[in-house]
């Protein structure tokens, strides 16, 4: 909320909306990989990745996701959030 007029800030609303995006809407993550992440972890959307204390470790909980693939997923999620807010 604006500290001067009290109006709701648009950027905050956009941020909230970006956090609700399912991983299937993140470009560059295959359907097979999303299925494995959904099956093997509690990560379901962009917000889960961003809010995680250890997103790389959580993503590595999925079958066939190692440090490099987890970092790639994290980069793609971060890019989507940046693009959504710009």
């Amino acid at each position: 909320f604006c500290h001067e007029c009290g109006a709701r800030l648009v950027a905050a609303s956009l941020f909230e909306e970006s956090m609700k995006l399912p991983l299937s809407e993140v470009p560059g993550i295959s359907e097979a990989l999303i299925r494995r992440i959904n099956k093997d972890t509690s990560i379901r959307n962009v917000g889960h990745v961003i809010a995680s204390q250890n997103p790389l470790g959580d993503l590595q909980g999925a079958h066939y996701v190692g440090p490099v693939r987890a970092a790639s997923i994290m980069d793609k999620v971060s890019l989507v959030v940046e693009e959504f807010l710009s």
Side-chain angles (χ1 to χ4, degrees), residues 19-81:
M19 294 298 109
K20 295 176 187 176
L21 287 173
L23 288 180
S24 60
E25 292 189 27
V26 176
I29 302 177
S30 71
E31 289 298 319
L33 183 54
I34 290 169
R35 281 193 302 273
R36 287 196 306 266
I37 291 169
N38 287 338
K39 179 182 174 221
D40 299 336
T41 72
S42 61
I43 296 171
R44 300 291 178 265
N45 59 37
V46 169
H48 290 151
V49 175
I50 299 296
S52 174
Q53 293 288 329
N54 183 11
L56 298 178
D58 291 345
L59 288 166
Q60 289 179 52
H63 198 57
Y64 290 115
V65 176
V68 173
R69 187 166 284 162
S72 173
I73 294 167
M74 187 68 199
D75 290 343
K76 291 171 183 165
V77 167
S78 296
L79 183 61
V80 164
V81 172

